[in-house]
Amino acid sequence: MAMRPSKRGPSSAARLRQVFIVSVICLALYCFLLVPDHSLDSSRTLPPALLNNRFLTSSQCAAAFPGLTREIDDVVAKGPFTLARRPHDLGPLVARIRDGKLYIISYARKSDLSKEMLQHRSATLHQIAAALLTTPPSEPLPDTIIAINHEDDPVSPSLSYSRPADPSFNGPGKHYFAMPHFSFYAWAIPTVGSFWRASRAISALESRLSWASKSPLAVWRGTTWFNNPRAGRLRQDLVAATRDAPWADVQPLFSNGSNALAIEDFCRHRYVVHTEGVTYSGRFQYHQLCASVVLSPPIAWMQHVTHLVKPAFSSSLDGVARTPPGTTSRADQLAPYPAPWVREAWPRSYDPGKEANMVFVAPDWSDLEATVGWLERHPRVAEGIARRQRELFDGGGYFSPAAETCYWRAVIRGWSSVVRTEGQGFEDLDEVPWEEFSLKEIHK
């Protein structure tokens, strides 16, 4: 008797996948909506099947990652703008998206870019290509022309790695679309590598370390000359303020890099000191994966999910006072903290015992020692700040492949809804398909 062939085909398999995805989203909603923010356990951790799913629809993205696209929403709310064609190829790369395919139409020559800049540009384009490739067929991305800025300084209008936090530098005429950092693909330096490698290494380390077993020394490594002019001598001042301090492990990088730390090893410390560079710092997202308290001057450059930071200001911690550097300085000579722009950019100091997931200290480091001391005297509070940070960015998945891809498609949709390119001459430019361009990118 002949066997009757099974009727289960591709459509049945697709329905099963849809049921699975909906079930995962429901679990995600439970984790986010029913578990209190101040929980110290890992119950808000989303399942790997969701966090590694790059095929989520926009509604599934919104359910899994609440608030993910706020940066996009804010800049789109400013309304339309014109993307003008530049008379040269320097500056942001210009690409066209048509029928879900990526084409490069204007870009700086290799001879005009450093090896590092070429890597950053290539990594970002790989991220975009992945987001296009995994777009759900039910939600095709619109055709558009995008400007992609792979330099540290943000450019308006463009997709940039950050934007100014100071509202006076981000007025109605500025159109900074924050995009995920290139390191979410990979960062070709020995201490980091791919984001997947680093996040796995951090997870392995955090699974073995308790709060009590972490080093109580506040840790930092970096180059002292890498400062934004507006920040003055931020990094030099940090080194000076912590010199020979028994509570700190702060070191400028040696020229041979022999005292550098693997990015995951910062998480061995209870307190990680964070400094921005010329603009943002590419290490920030790695520090946010740690179950450690990140101590930083108020963030001046917003990356794509920096708005999820809930800072407790050191000035709000009972008993924390600023100590003037040196022996001749007076307390009344210290610069005001928080500064007026900080009060606008970061108007709220969150409860360190229930809500905060980071601590802002004075930019001159005059209360860093006092802040570390306060946290050491309040270990439960300190551990809560650290755990909330890791629960959000790792457990909550905001640095996951799924969230990254969700964000890329959202920023492309947001940009396309307000950019105007008609009559700018882009139609006269030759196109290079991404697949062809990517092969040329790997050769200097």
Side-chain angles (χ1 to χ4, degrees), residues 329-394:
S329 301
R330 303 195 318 270
D332 60 4
Q333 293 176 328
L334 294 171
Y337 163 72
W341 75 264
V342 174
R343 295 182 184 276
E344 288 190 70
W346 298 98
R348 179 180 175 188
S349 179
Y350 289 83
D351 185 337
K354 296 180 180 179
E355 301 171 288
N357 54 27
M358 185 174 176
V359 175
F360 284 171
V361 298
D364 59 5
W365 311 107
S366 56
D367 62 1
L368 180 60
E369 179 179 5
T371 300
V372 171
W374 189 95
L375 292 167
E376 280 291 277
R377 293 192 302 275
H378 300 81
R380 183 67 174 173
V381 175
E383 183 180 2
I385 295 170
R387 293 298 171 191
R388 280 190 291 274
Q389 172 175 260
R390 180 161 170 78
E391 284 177 355
L392 177 64
F393 292 106
D394 181 72

Side-chain angles (χ1 to χ4, degrees), residues 424-443:
Q424 298 302 311
F426 291 110
E427 60 277 1
D428 301 329
L429 297 175
D430 293 333
E431 300 176 344
V432 182
W434 157 244
E435 294 78 5
E436 178 183 342
F437 188 83
S438 67
L439 296 179
K440 297 177 179 178
E441 279 279 274
I442 65 174
H443 301 290

